[in-house]
């Protein structure tokens, strides 16, 4: 199963990074199609993030599933733990996932697999120009 990820005016194909039966994928699938603001990650380095507080079930937590702190460019993490608000993090370069309280670990849910140079440009545009829009939806069947 694949997804389409749009950051601003750039669109990317992403592949599933966790099993469809995982809690992380099930939680993300319930949010799709997702559309929300995307901001540059203040604490995490070369990444953008989308706060999920408006879409995430109140007080719902997500257990760690193959959670990582240093995603590779193109990896999209889902976080809904106790140390920060629920969010999606999209790494476009060197990233160490963190918040004001310290390091975080997020569950990989999707991976953008091509055009990582354009992903980096989209991330830098958010850094230079301010917030944009993130959209994630299932890839339509042909």
């Amino acid at each position: 199963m694949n997804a389409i990820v749009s950051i601003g005016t750039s669109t990317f194909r992403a592949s599933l990074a966790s099993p469809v039966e995982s809690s992380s994928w099930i939680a993300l699938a319930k949010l799709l199609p997702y559309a929300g603001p995307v901001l540059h990650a203040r604490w995490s380095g070369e990444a953008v993030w989308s706060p999920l507080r408006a879409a995430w079930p109140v007080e719902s937590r997500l257990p760690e599933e193959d959670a990582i702190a240093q995603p590779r460019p193109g990896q999209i993490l889902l976080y809904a733990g106790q140390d920060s608000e629920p969010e999606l993090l999209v790494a476009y370069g060197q990233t160490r996932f963190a918040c004001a309280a310290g390091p975080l670990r997020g569950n990989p849910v999707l991976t953008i697999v091509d055009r990582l140079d354009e992903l980096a440009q989209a991330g830098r545009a958010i850094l230079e120009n301010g917030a944009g829009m993130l959209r994630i939806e299932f890839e339509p069947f042909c």
Side-chain angles (χ1 to χ4, degrees), residues 43-126:
W43 312 105
S44 299
E46 295 177 315
V48 296
W49 72 288
S50 186
L52 296 175
R53 67 179 152 264
W56 195 259
V58 176
E59 301 299 320
S60 178
R61 299 283 182 241
L62 190 62
E64 286 193 359
E65 296 174 311
D66 299 321
I68 59 175
Q70 293 180 285
R72 294 183 319 277
Q75 285 188 298
I76 300 174
L77 306 183
L78 176 60
Y79 177 83
Q82 66 184 25
D83 295 328
S84 188
E85 67 182 285
E87 68 181 84
L88 288 164
L89 181 89
V90 183
Y92 69 83
Q94 187 173 356
T95 302
R96 288 192 173 142
F97 190 23
C99 68
L104 295 174
R105 293 166 44 91
N107 299 339
V109 287
L110 293 168
T111 303
I112 295 170
V113 294
D114 62 356
R115 297 183 15 256
L116 295 179
D117 56 334
E118 188 175 335
L119 175 62
Q121 290 172 359
R124 284 191 293 276
I126 297 293

Side-chain angles (χ1 to χ4, degrees), residues 38-39 125-132:
V38 65
L39 311 158
I126 297 293
L127 175 62
E128 294 170 6
N129 303 319

